[in-house]
Amino acid sequence: MKTAAFCIRHRVTTIMVYVMAVIFGIMGFTSLPLALMPDIELPMAIIMTTYAGAGPEEIENLVTKPIESACASVAGMEELQSQSSENSSIVMVTFSDGTDLDEALTDLRDKVDQAKSMLPDDASAPTVMKMDISSMPVVMIGLRGADLAQLQQIADDDITPALERIDGVASVTVSGGYDNEVSIQTHADQMSGYGLSISYISQILAAQNIAIPAGDVDNGSQSLSVRTTGEFQSVDDIADLLIPLPTGGSVRLGEVADVSMQPTDQDAIAKIDGEPCVIITVQQQSDSNTVDVANRVKAQLDTITEENPTLDWSILMDQSDYINLSVDSVVQNIVLGVVLAALVLLVFLRDLG
């Protein structure tokens, strides 16, 4: 009897332990954050500096070398690499294993700040960035449905703010489109005949295109803000601007120049199936769940396109697809392992009986 009772208690204990292991395993698995790449800390930093209009040799001598000299004295520095190209300098600093990266980056930023005084006045402030393998975009979206200028405006004014409000989204970048700007092409003969110069026209435009606050006016119990609005509202307003002549009188800008709206130069060109598009890149916050962030982004895009049916968006890159494939494979292996373990326990407990 004691042996039978012992066997029963042993069976019940084994089954309870097995069930608890399965339950806690499921709870732990579902609570894990999902990401495509592991959290790897690379012992490397990059210093980027721009110097517009400078050639590679000037960049090398005036920007790259002073920054390299500053980086060489950073504790834990193992290797320095640099790339000097037209308009920009990139210096890559590799630290030795075991270096405290937080302290090393703080020291590096201090050294680079000290080297700013050695750089040309027109050079930008050097930017120190830590190499982060998780900085890969979580989602890349292609947006179509209108001309690129309108798509750029919609992406900047509507889509970007909506996506940046999503929990887990760090930043949103828009590329591939362009903005429209006012182009003024002066006629040299007419300008010379009226005694006008481009700098004079520019000063007149700057003086006329302003909005100035004029203080407050008390009206009984109310206080009204007063401001003078002189900003141009259209291309026609600019073309109709009266330009005072040095000899007296005035002439309209449209009589000495062609005024029109023209697209700005594109920084990037993107196409989907040969059709121009705007690319929206979404970066996630560190330690956030990649799958959840991607799903929220796509749900928000569905809401935006419902309000504007002319827009058409498609996913160009989505980390969650690869993660879901990996998770499905892991889940299948887990289920198989649970079933095999249950069969082994069943055979083992039957043998004890």
Side-chain angles (χ1 to χ4, degrees), residues 265-331:
D265 294 335
Q266 288 183 255
D267 295 332
I269 297 176
K271 293 184 178 182
I272 299 177
D273 297 330
E275 182 180 350
C277 69
V278 168
I279 302 297
I280 302 175
T281 304
V282 181
Q283 301 278 356
Q284 71 178 38
Q285 297 175 354
S286 59
D287 300 329
S288 60
N289 191 310
T290 302
V291 175
D292 290 344
V293 172
N295 290 337
R296 294 191 196 108
V297 168
K298 289 182 281 189
Q300 184 63 50
L301 286 171
D302 285 333
T303 302
I304 294 173
T305 51
E306 286 177 1
E307 299 173 355
N308 192 345
T310 60
L311 295 179
D312 177 27
W313 64 273
S314 56
I315 295 294
L316 306 180
M317 191 277 290
D318 185 359
Q319 285 193 32
S320 65
D321 290 341
Y322 306 103
I323 295 173
N324 288 329
L325 289 174
S326 300
V327 170
D328 291 342
S329 177
V330 171
V331 170

Coordinates of all heavy atoms in Angstrom, one line a residue, residues 265-331:
D265 N 15.9 70.8 -55.9 CA 16.7 69.7 -56.3 C 16.4 68.5 -55.4 O 16.2 68.7 -54.2 CB 18.2 70.0 -56.3 CG 18.6 71.0 -57.3 OD1 17.9 71.1 -58.3 OD2 19.5 71.8 -57.1
Q266 N 16.3 67.3 -55.9 CA 16.0 66.1 -55.1 C 17.3 65.6 -54.5 O 18.3 65.4 -55.2 CB 15.3 65.0 -56.0 CG 13.9 65.3 -56.4 CD 13.3 64.2 -57.2 OE1 13.1 64.2 -58.4 NE2 13.0 63.1 -56.5
D267 N 17.2 65.3 -53.2 CA 18.4 64.7 -52.6 C 18.4 63.2 -52.8 O 19.5 62.6 -52.8 CB 18.3 64.9 -51.0 CG 18.4 66.3 -50.7 OD1 19.0 67.1 -51.4 OD2 17.8 66.7 -49.6
A268 N 17.3 62.5 -53.1 CA 17.2 61.1 -53.4 C 16.1 60.8 -54.4 O 15.2 61.6 -54.5 CB 17.0 60.3 -52.1
I269 N 16.3 59.8 -55.2 CA 15.3 59.4 -56.1 C 14.8 57.9 -55.8 O 15.7 57.1 -55.7 CB 15.8 59.4 -57.6 CG1 16.2 60.9 -58.0 CG2 14.8 58.9 -58.6 CD1 16.8 61.0 -59.3
A270 N 13.6 57.7 -55.6 CA 13.0 56.4 -55.3 C 11.9 56.1 -56.3 O 11.1 56.9 -56.7 CB 12.5 56.4 -53.9
K271 N 11.8 54.8 -56.7 CA 10.8 54.4 -57.6 C 10.3 53.0 -57.2 O 11.0 52.2 -56.7 CB 11.3 54.3 -59.0 CG 11.6 55.6 -59.6 CD 12.0 55.5 -61.1 CE 12.3 56.9 -61.7 NZ 12.7 56.8 -63.2
I272 N 9.0 52.7 -57.4 CA 8.4 51.4 -57.2 C 7.7 51.0 -58.5 O 6.8 51.7 -59.0 CB 7.3 51.5 -56.1 CG1 7.9 51.8 -54.7 CG2 6.6 50.1 -56.0 CD1 6.9 52.0 -53.6
D273 N 8.2 49.9 -59.1 CA 7.7 49.5 -60.4 C 7.8 50.6 -61.5 O 7.0 50.8 -62.3 CB 6.2 49.0 -60.3 CG 6.0 47.8 -59.4 OD1 7.0 47.0 -59.3 OD2 5.0 47.7 -58.8
G274 N 8.9 51.4 -61.4 CA 9.2 52.4 -62.3 C 8.4 53.7 -62.1 O 8.6 54.7 -62.8
E275 N 7.6 53.8 -61.0 CA 6.8 54.9 -60.7 C 7.5 55.7 -59.5 O 7.8 55.1 -58.5 CB 5.4 54.6 -60.3 CG 4.5 55.7 -60.0 CD 3.1 55.3 -59.6 OE1 2.8 54.1 -59.8 OE2 2.3 56.1 -59.1
P276 N 7.7 57.0 -59.7 CA 8.4 57.8 -58.6 C 7.5 57.7 -57.3 O 6.3 57.7 -57.3 CB 8.4 59.2 -59.1 CG 8.4 59.0 -60.6 CD 7.5 57.8 -60.9
C277 N 8.2 57.7 -56.2 CA 7.5 57.6 -54.9 C 8.3 58.3 -53.8 O 9.5 58.7 -54.0 CB 7.3 56.1 -54.5 SG 8.8 55.2 -54.1
V278 N 7.7 58.4 -52.7 CA 8.4 59.0 -51.5 C 8.6 57.8 -50.5 O 7.7 57.0 -50.3 CB 7.5 60.1 -50.8 CG1 8.0 60.4 -49.5 CG2 7.5 61.3 -51.7
I279 N 9.8 57.8 -49.9 CA 10.2 56.7 -49.0 C 10.0 57.2 -47.6 O 10.6 58.3 -47.2 CB 11.6 56.2 -49.2 CG1 11.8 55.7 -50.7 CG2 12.0 55.1 -48.2 CD1 10.9 54.5 -51.0
I280 N 9.3 56.5 -46.7 CA 9.2 56.8 -45.3 C 9.9 55.7 -44.5 O 9.5 54.6 -44.6 CB 7.7 56.9 -44.9 CG1 7.0 58.0 -45.7 CG2 7.6 57.2 -43.4 CD1 5.5 58.1 -45.5
T281 N 10.9 56.1 -43.7 CA 11.6 55.2 -42.9 C 11.3 55.4 -41.4 O 11.4 56.5 -40.9 CB 13.2 55.4 -43.1 OG1 13.4 55.3 -44.5 CG2 14.0 54.4 -42.4
V282 N 11.0 54.3 -40.8 CA 10.6 54.4 -39.3 C 11.7 53.7 -38.5 O 12.0 52.5 -38.7 CB 9.2 53.7 -39.1 CG1 8.8 53.8 -37.7 CG2 8.2 54.4 -40.0
Q283 N 12.2 54.4 -37.5 CA 13.1 53.9 -36.5 C 12.4 53.6 -35.2 O 11.6 54.5 -34.8 CB 14.3 54.9 -36.3 CG 15.1 55.2 -37.6 CD 16.1 54.2 -37.9 OE1 16.3 53.2 -37.2 NE2 16.8 54.4 -39.0
Q284 N 12.7 52.5 -34.6 CA 12.1 52.2 -33.3 C 13.0 52.6 -32.1 O 14.2 52.8 -32.3 CB 11.8 50.7 -33.2 CG 13.0 49.9 -33.0 CD 12.7 48.4 -32.9 OE1 11.8 47.9 -33.5 NE2 13.4 47.7 -32.1
Q285 N 12.3 52.8 -31.0 CA 13.1 53.0 -29.7 C 13.8 51.8 -29.2 O 13.3 50.7 -29.5 CB 12.1 53.6 -28.7 CG 11.5 54.9 -29.0 CD 10.4 55.3 -28.0 OE1 10.1 54.5 -27.1 NE2 9.9 56.5 -28.1
S286 N 14.8 52.0 -28.5 CA 15.6 50.8 -28.0 C 14.7 50.1 -27.0 O 13.9 50.7 -26.3 CB 16.9 51.3 -27.3 OG 16.6 52.2 -26.3
D287 N 14.8 48.7 -27.0 CA 14.1 47.9 -26.1 C 12.6 47.8 -26.4 O 11.8 47.2 -25.6 CB 14.3 48.3 -24.6 CG 15.7 48.3 -24.2 OD1 16.5 47.5 -24.7 OD2 16.1 49.1 -23.3
S288 N 12.1 48.3 -27.5 CA 10.7 48.2 -27.8 C 10.5 46.9 -28.7 O 11.5 46.4 -29.2 CB 10.3 49.4 -28.7 OG 11.0 49.5 -29.8
N289 N 9.3 46.4 -28.7 CA 9.0 45.2 -29.4 C 8.8 45.6 -30.9 O 7.9 46.3 -31.3 CB 7.7 44.6 -28.8 CG 7.4 43.2 -29.4 OD1 7.4 43.0 -30.6 ND2 7.1 42.3 -28.5
T290 N 9.7 45.0 -31.7 CA 9.7 45.3 -33.1 C 8.4 45.0 -33.8 O 7.8 45.7 -34.6 CB 10.9 44.6 -33.8 OG1 12.1 44.9 -33.2 CG2 10.9 44.9 -35.3
V291 N 7.8 43.8 -33.5 CA 6.6 43.3 -34.1 C 5.4 44.3 -33.8 O 4.7 44.7 -34.6 CB 6.3 41.9 -33.7 CG1 4.9 41.5 -34.3 CG2 7.4 41.0 -34.2
D292 N 5.3 44.6 -32.5 CA 4.3 45.5 -32.1 C 4.4 46.9 -32.8 O 3.4 47.5 -33.2 CB 4.3 45.7 -30.6 CG 3.8 44.5 -29.8 OD1 3.2 43.6 -30.5 OD2 4.1 44.3 -28.6
V293 N 5.6 47.4 -32.8 CA 5.8 48.7 -33.5 C 5.4 48.7 -34.9 O 4.7 49.6 -35.5 CB 7.3 49.2 -33.3 CG1 7.5 50.4 -34.1 CG2 7.6 49.4 -31.9
A294 N 5.8 47.6 -35.6 CA 5.5 47.5 -37.1 C 4.0 47.4 -37.3 O 3.5 48.0 -38.2 CB 6.2 46.3 -37.7
N295 N 3.3 46.6 -36.4 CA 1.9 46.5 -36.6 C 1.2 47.8 -36.3 O 0.2 48.1 -37.0 CB 1.4 45.4 -35.6 CG 1.8 44.0 -36.0 OD1 2.1 43.7 -37.2 ND2 1.9 43.1 -35.1
R296 N 1.6 48.6 -35.3 CA 1.0 49.8 -35.1 C 1.2 50.8 -36.2 O 0.3 51.6 -36.6 CB 1.6 50.4 -33.8 CG 1.3 49.6 -32.5 CD 1.6 50.4 -31.3 NE 1.7 49.6 -30.1 CZ 2.8 49.2 -29.5 NH1 4.0 49.6 -29.9 NH2 2.8 48.4 -28.4
V297 N 2.4 50.8 -36.8 CA 2.7 51.7 -37.9 C 1.8 51.3 -39.1 O 1.2 52.2 -39.7 CB 4.2 51.5 -38.4 CG1 4.4 52.2 -39.7 CG2 5.1 52.2 -37.3
K298 N 1.6 50.1 -39.4 CA 0.8 49.7 -40.6 C -0.7 50.0 -40.3 O -1.4 50.4 -41.2 CB 1.0 48.2 -40.9 CG 2.3 47.9 -41.5 CD 2.5 46.4 -41.8 CE 2.9 45.6 -40.6 NZ 3.3 44.2 -40.9
A299 N -1.1 49.8 -39.0 CA -2.5 50.2 -38.7 C -2.7 51.7 -38.8 O -3.8 52.1 -39.3 CB -2.8 49.7 -37.3
Q300 N -1.8 52.5 -38.4 CA -1.9 53.9 -38.6 C -1.9 54.3 -40.0 O -2.7 55.2 -40.4 CB -0.7 54.6 -37.9 CG -0.8 56.1 -37.8 CD -2.0 56.6 -37.1 OE1 -2.3 56.2 -36.0 NE2 -2.8 57.5 -37.7
L301 N -1.1 53.7 -40.9 CA -1.1 54.0 -42.3 C -2.5 53.6 -42.9 O -3.0 54.3 -43.8 CB 0.0 53.2 -43.0 CG 1.4 53.8 -42.8 CD1 2.4 52.8 -43.3 CD2 1.6 55.2 -43.4
D302 N -3.1 52.5 -42.5 CA -4.4 52.2 -43.0 C -5.4 53.3 -42.6 O -6.3 53.6 -43.5 CB -4.9 50.8 -42.4 CG -4.1 49.6 -43.0 OD1 -3.7 49.8 -44.2 OD2 -4.0 48.6 -42.3
T303 N -5.3 53.8 -41.4 CA -6.3 54.9 -41.0 C -6.1 56.1 -41.9 O -7.0 56.8 -42.3 CB -6.0 55.2 -39.5 OG1 -6.2 54.0 -38.7 CG2 -7.0 56.3 -39.1
I304 N -4.8 56.5 -42.1 CA -4.5 57.7 -42.9 C -5.0 57.5 -44.3 O -5.6 58.4 -44.9 CB -3.0 58.0 -42.9 CG1 -2.6 58.3 -41.5 CG2 -2.7 59.1 -43.9 CD1 -1.0 58.5 -41.3
T305 N -4.8 56.4 -45.0 CA -5.2 56.1 -46.3 C -6.8 56.1 -46.5 O -7.3 56.4 -47.5 CB -4.6 54.9 -46.9 OG1 -4.8 53.8 -46.0 CG2 -3.1 55.1 -47.1
E306 N -7.4 55.6 -45.4 CA -8.9 55.6 -45.4 C -9.4 57.1 -45.5 O -10.4 57.3 -46.1 CB -9.4 55.0 -44.2 CG -9.3 53.4 -44.2 CD -9.8 52.8 -42.9 OE1 -10.3 53.6 -42.0 OE2 -9.7 51.6 -42.8
E307 N -8.7 58.0 -44.8 CA -9.1 59.4 -44.9 C -8.7 60.1 -46.2 O -9.3 61.1 -46.6 CB -8.5 60.2 -43.7 CG -8.9 59.6 -42.3 CD -8.2 60.3 -41.2 OE1 -7.2 61.0 -41.5 OE2 -8.5 60.0 -40.0
N308 N -7.7 59.5 -46.8 CA -7.2 60.1 -48.1 C -7.1 58.9 -49.1 O -6.0 58.4 -49.3 CB -5.9 60.8 -47.9 CG -5.5 61.6 -49.1 OD1 -6.0 61.5 -50.2 ND2 -4.5 62.5 -49.0
P309 N -8.1 58.5 -49.8 CA -8.1 57.3 -50.7 C -7.2 57.5 -51.8 O -6.9 56.4 -52.5 CB -9.6 57.2 -51.1 CG -10.4 58.0 -50.1 CD -9.5 59.1 -49.7
T310 N -6.7 58.7 -52.2 CA -5.8 58.8 -53.3 C -4.4 58.3 -53.1 O -3.7 58.1 -54.0 CB -5.8 60.3 -53.8 OG1 -5.3 61.1 -52.7 CG2 -7.1 60.8 -54.2
L311 N -4.1 58.1 -51.8 CA -2.8 57.6 -51.4 C -2.7 56.1 -51.5 O -3.7 55.4 -51.3 CB -2.4 58.1 -50.0 CG -2.3 59.6 -49.7 CD1 -2.0 59.8 -48.2 CD2 -1.2 60.2 -50.6
D312 N -1.5 55.7 -51.9 CA -1.3 54.2 -52.1 C 0.1 53.9 -51.4 O 1.1 54.5 -51.8 CB -1.3 53.8 -53.5 CG -0.9 52.3 -53.7 OD1 -1.2 51.5 -52.8 OD2 -0.4 52.0 -54.8
W313 N 0.1 53.1 -50.4 CA 1.4 52.8 -49.7 C 1.6 51.3 -49.8 O 0.7 50.5 -49.9 CB 1.3 53.3 -48.3 CG 0.3 52.6 -47.4 CD1 -1.0 52.9 -47.2 CD2 0.6 51.4 -46.6 NE1 -1.6 52.0 -46.3 CE2 -0.7 51.1 -45.9 CE3 1.7 50.6 -46.4 CZ2 -0.8 50.0 -45.1 CZ3 1.5 49.5 -45.5 CH2 0.3 49.2 -44.9
S314 N 2.9 51.0 -49.8 CA 3.3 49.6 -49.9 C 4.6 49.4 -49.0 O 5.4 50.3 -48.9 CB 3.6 49.1 -51.3 OG 4.6 49.9 -51.9
I315 N 4.7 48.2 -48.4 CA 5.8 48.0 -47.5 C 7.0 47.5 -48.4 O 6.9 46.6 -49.1 CB 5.5 46.9 -46.5 CG1 4.4 47.3 -45.5 CG2 6.7 46.4 -45.7 CD1 4.8 48.5 -44.7
L316 N 8.1 48.3 -48.2 CA 9.4 47.9 -48.9 C 10.3 47.0 -48.1 O 11.0 46.2 -48.6 CB 10.1 49.2 -49.3 CG 9.3 50.2 -50.1 CD1 10.2 51.4 -50.5 CD2 8.8 49.6 -51.4
M317 N 10.2 47.2 -46.8 CA 11.0 46.4 -45.8 C 10.3 46.4 -44.5 O 9.9 47.4 -44.0 CB 12.4 47.0 -45.7 CG 13.4 46.1 -44.9 SD 13.3 46.2 -43.1 CE 14.0 47.8 -42.9
D318 N 10.2 45.2 -43.9 CA 9.5 45.1 -42.7 C 10.2 44.0 -41.8 O 10.2 42.8 -42.2 CB 8.0 44.7 -42.9 CG 7.2 44.6 -41.6 OD1 7.8 44.9 -40.5 OD2 6.0 44.3 -41.7
Q319 N 10.8 44.4 -40.8 CA 11.5 43.5 -39.9 C 10.6 42.4 -39.3 O 11.0 41.3 -39.0 CB 12.3 44.2 -38.8 CG 13.5 44.9 -39.2 CD 14.3 45.4 -38.0 OE1 14.4 44.7 -37.0 NE2 15.0 46.5 -38.1
S320 N 9.4 42.8 -39.0 CA 8.4 41.9 -38.4 C 8.2 40.7 -39.2 O 7.8 39.6 -38.6 CB 7.1 42.6 -38.0 OG 6.4 43.0 -39.2
D321 N 8.2 40.7 -40.5 CA 8.0 39.6 -41.4 C 9.1 38.5 -41.1 O 8.7 37.3 -40.9 CB 8.1 39.9 -42.8 CG 6.9 40.8 -43.3 OD1 5.9 40.7 -42.6 OD2 7.0 41.4 -44.3
Y322 N 10.3 38.9 -41.0 CA 11.4 37.9 -40.7 C 11.3 37.4 -39.3 O 11.5 36.2 -39.0 CB 12.8 38.6 -40.9 CG 12.9 39.2 -42.3 CD1 12.8 40.6 -42.4 CD2 13.1 38.4 -43.4 CE1 13.0 41.1 -43.7 CE2 13.3 39.0 -44.6 CZ 13.2 40.4 -44.8 OH 13.3 40.9 -46.0
I323 N 10.9 38.3 -38.3 CA 10.7 37.9 -36.9 C 9.6 36.9 -36.8 O 9.7 35.8 -36.1 CB 10.5 39.1 -36.0 CG1 11.7 40.0 -36.0 CG2 10.2 38.7 -34.6 CD1 11.5 41.3 -35.3
N324 N 8.5 37.1 -37.5 CA 7.3 36.2 -37.4 C 7.7 34.8 -38.0 O 7.3 33.8 -37.4 CB 6.1 36.8 -38.1 CG 5.5 38.0 -37.4 OD1 5.6 38.0 -36.1 ND2 5.0 38.9 -38.1
L325 N 8.5 34.8 -39.0 CA 8.9 33.5 -39.6 C 9.8 32.8 -38.6 O 9.6 31.6 -38.4 CB 9.7 33.7 -40.9 CG 8.9 34.2 -42.1 CD1 9.8 34.5 -43.3 CD2 7.9 33.2 -42.5
S326 N 10.7 33.5 -37.9 CA 11.5 32.8 -36.9 C 10.7 32.4 -35.7 O 10.9 31.3 -35.2 CB 12.6 33.8 -36.5 OG 13.4 34.2 -37.5
V327 N 9.8 33.2 -35.3 CA 8.9 32.8 -34.1 C 8.1 31.6 -34.5 O 7.9 30.7 -33.6 CB 8.1 34.0 -33.7 CG1 7.0 33.6 -32.7 CG2 8.9 35.1 -33.1
D328 N 7.5 31.6 -35.7 CA 6.7 30.4 -36.1 C 7.5 29.1 -36.0 O 7.0 28.1 -35.6 CB 6.1 30.6 -37.5 CG 5.1 31.7 -37.5 OD1 4.5 32.1 -36.4 OD2 4.8 32.2 -38.6
S329 N 8.8 29.2 -36.5 CA 9.6 28.0 -36.4 C 9.9 27.6 -35.0 O 9.9 26.4 -34.7 CB 10.9 28.3 -37.2 OG 11.8 27.3 -37.1
V330 N 10.2 28.6 -34.1 CA 10.4 28.3 -32.7 C 9.2 27.7 -32.1 O 9.3 26.7 -31.3 CB 10.9 29.6 -32.0 CG1 10.9 29.4 -30.5 CG2 12.2 30.1 -32.5
V331 N 8.0 28.3 -32.3 CA 6.8 27.7 -31.7 C 6.6 26.3 -32.2 O 6.2 25.4 -31.3 CB 5.6 28.6 -32.1 CG1 4.3 28.0 -31.7 CG2 5.7 30.0 -31.5

